[in-house]
Amino acid sequence: MKQQDKFLLSDLNTLGREFADNSPEEILRWVWGSYGCNAVMSSSFQTQSVPLLHMISKVCPEMVIVFIDTGLHFPETLAFRDELQERFRLHLKVIRPEFGPGENDDQMYRDDPDRCCYIRKVRCMYTFLQDNEIGAWVTGIRRGQTPQRSNIAELQPRPDGILHIHPLARWTTAQVTEYINKHDLPVHPLFNKGYISIGCGPCTKPVAATDDERQGRWSWTNKTECGLLQPVHEHTESALNAKTT
Ligand code: SF4
C-alpha cells in the first residue's frame, strides 16, 4: 500500500517530528506495524549496514532485505552478505538487473556511470518496488555521510508514493562503530583496508582516515549518489534521456 493511500502528508509531518526523538528501533516498529510486508529495506551489505540489519533481525525479522546484485560487487561483499544473512537469519531477496541490447557492458561505468547505475541498480529496484506494491522503503543512510545527505529526514515521502524511512538519519559514524562494538558484530572484510563505504568494485577505492567516508566512491567524477534515492521517472530516466537526445 502506497504512502498516499495510507497517510496524509500532514500525518507524516507530525510523525516525522516525533521520529526525530525516537530510537531507530521505535521507528522500525512503526514501519512494520503500519506497512507489514509492504515494507522492505535495501542494503548494500557494507560495514555501516550492520547496525540496521541487526535491529531489523530483532524488531521485525520478517522484513524483506533487498540486495541488488549488480554483477560487479567485490567477492568479499557477497561473502559478507551471506555471513550476515546466516548470522541474523535475514529474509534476503537478491535482485539482478535485466539487460537490453548493448546494456550488459562492464566498462560502462567509466564513461557513463549514471547510465550504468540506472541500468544495474535503479531500474531493477524500481521494478521490484512496483511489482511488489511496496509502500515503505527503509534505508541505512545518514546525514553525516555527505553534504548531499545532510538534510535527510527520518521520514521522506517520495513523489512516486513510496515512503522512504531512514531510521539512522541522525546517527554519526561514531554511533555506528559504538553499536557494532557493543553488540560484538562483524565488519566488512575490506573495512580495515580503508574501504569505509563500499559499492561496486570498479567504482570504489579505499580512503584515508581523514577523508570523507564516501570519498572513494566514483572518485574520478563528481558523482556522489547512484540514484536510488531519487524518484526514478522524475530524475534518472529523464536525465539519461536528456543526455542522449
Ligand atoms: Fe556501474 Fe559503478 Fe554504478 Fe556499479 S557503482 S552500477 S559499476 S557505475
Side-chain angles (χ1 to χ4, degrees):
M1 184 181 289
K2 296 286 181 64
Q3 144 258 316
Q4 77 261 32
D5 302 328
K6 204 165 174 57
F7 297 103
L8 296 171
L9 209 50
S10 54
D11 296 334
L12 292 174
N13 287 338
T14 305
L15 279 168
R17 282 195 291 277
E18 290 174 11
F19 284 171
D21 295 323
N22 287 1
S23 69
E25 289 93 337
E26 288 170 320
I27 296 173
L28 288 173
R29 256 179 230 113
W30 175 84
V31 176
W32 190 248
S34 300
Y35 287 91
C37 58
N38 289 115
V40 295
M41 175 190 173
S42 62
S43 180
S44 51
F45 285 86
Q46 50 187 304
T47 297
Q48 48 201 310
S49 313
V50 171
L52 195 54
L53 290 169
H54 181 252
M55 289 175 197
I56 285 179
S57 75
K58 302 293 180 195
V59 172
C60 44
E62 292 172 67
M63 182 180 287
V64 168
I65 313 295
V66 181
F67 175 77
I68 307 171
D69 186 351
T70 63
L72 297 173
H73 285 291
F74 290 101
E76 289 88 345
T77 298
L78 304 182
F80 192 52
R81 175 200 67 189
D82 294 345
E83 177 188 341
L84 292 181
Q85 181 194 14
E86 194 174 328
R87 179 165 174 164
F88 296 162
R89 300 188 180 280
L90 299 173
H91 194 174
L92 180 67
K93 172 72 179 172
V94 178
I95 61 173
R96 296 183 174 85
E98 290 188 7
F99 299 109
E103 288 184 344
N104 191 1
D105 174 359
D106 63 9
Q107 300 301 308
M108 187 186 291
Y109 73 90
R110 284 190 194 153
D111 299 328
D112 199 346
D114 284 344
R115 180 171 290 279
C116 186
C117 277
Y118 173 68
I119 291 168
R120 289 183 184 271
K121 293 183 178 178
V122 178
R123 192 169 62 190
C124 69
M125 184 66 188
Y126 197 74
T127 301
F128 173 84
L129 295 169
Q130 294 298 305
D131 288 352
N132 292 280
E133 300 185 342
I134 299 304
W137 177 3
V138 179
T139 84
I141 69 169
R142 295 177 288 109
R143 289 181 202 128
Q145 288 174 313
T146 61
Q148 292 78 14
R149 294 183 177 182
S150 61
N151 290 321
I152 59 162
E154 280 77 5
L155 292 189
Q156 289 205 309
R158 293 164 51 108
D160 53 26
I162 296 171
L163 182 62
H164 258 315
I165 296 108
H166 311 304
L168 301 185
R170 66 179 180 278
W171 271 33
T172 62
T173 303
Q175 285 175 288
V176 171
T177 304
E178 187 183 347
Y179 187 96
I180 289 172
N181 291 339
K182 178 179 173 188
H183 295 275
D184 195 21
L185 301 175
V187 297
H188 189 289
L190 296 176
F191 182 74
N192 290 323
K193 295 180 178 174
Y195 291 85
I196 308 303
S197 172
I198 298 186
C200 294
C203 300
T204 308
K205 287 191 166 36
V207 296
T210 51
D211 289 340
D212 289 341
E213 58 188 74
R214 282 177 66 86
Q215 203 163 317
R217 307 286 297 273
W218 306 286
S219 57
W220 71 100
T221 74
N222 59 7
K223 180 176 170 67
T224 60
E225 298 284 352
C226 61
L228 277 173
L229 301 179
Q230 298 164 286
V232 69
H233 287 128
E234 293 200 356
H235 294 278
T236 312
E237 188 120 51
S238 57
L240 288 169
N241 288 340
K243 282 172 73 172
T244 54
T245 53

